[in-house]
Amino acid sequence: MKTQQDTAVFLLRIALAAGFLSAVASRLNLWGAQSSGWKNFVHYTAETNSFLPPSWAPCIALFSTAAEVSIGFMLLLGFQIKRTARYASVLTLFFAIAMSISFGIKEPLDYSVFAFSAGAFLLSTFSHYKWSFDHFLHQ
């Protein structure tokens, strides 16, 4: 049973990291023709945060990208997982709320943003993280 939980925690951590890093890769055109690109991402940021001045969109886009890169790599490496997972949960919850305000509740539900946020929160509740840099440091 313990091995199954360790495996599930590891897979959740890797899936969350991949989600963050894939989104960043798309806006940086690393997915080729399937990429959204930076310009489209800034436009989407403005739409998602329609309750804020449009001039804030480039700054929000830059901040969120930096946060997603940091969170993605830290989760992938397994470094400071508990803290990083909390940040991931809060960031994606803010995203889900902004989507709900601007597009309605269906949009964040369709894209599983609340589930992503809840998964990150769940990850932050475990006491140890096997197969991680944190585990290696505490041995």
Side-chain angles (χ1 to χ4, degrees):
M1 183 66 163
K2 186 66 176 150
T3 301
Q4 286 181 333
Q5 186 181 47
D6 289 338
T7 303
V9 169
F10 173 77
L11 292 174
L12 176 58
R13 178 170 60 88
I14 298 306
L16 291 170
F20 280 113
L21 295 174
S22 176
V24 171
S26 179
R27 66 188 74 137
L28 297 179
N29 290 317
L30 300 177
W31 283 122
Q34 295 176 324
S35 295
S36 61
W38 183 256
K39 186 178 176 183
N40 289 335
F41 177 64
V42 173
H43 179 72
Y44 180 70
T45 300
E47 288 179 341
T48 303
N49 295 283
S50 62
F51 48 88
L52 296 174
S55 62
W56 290 19
C59 193
I60 294 169
L62 189 61
F63 171 77
S64 64
T65 298
E68 289 175 281
V69 166
S70 300
I71 289 168
F73 278 119
M74 289 180 77
L75 288 175
L76 190 62
L77 294 172
F79 184 68
Q80 296 288 314
I81 298 169
K82 188 174 284 288
R83 179 180 299 156
T84 303
R86 272 191 233 120
Y87 292 152
S89 179
V90 170
L91 181 65
T92 52
L93 182 60
F94 284 161
F95 181 47
I97 291 168
M99 287 178 79
S100 297
I101 292 169
S102 296
F103 307 123
I105 193 70
K106 183 182 181 307
E107 193 85 4
L109 291 173
D110 284 356
Y111 288 101
S112 303
V113 184
F114 289 110
F116 199 93
S117 180
F121 181 67
L122 177 64
L123 183 62
S124 76
T125 65
F126 290 94
S127 59
H128 75 283
Y129 304 94
K130 200 165 183 179
W131 307 304
S132 69
F133 195 68
D134 287 348
H135 181 75
F136 176 74
L137 290 176
H138 293 103
Q139 278 188 339

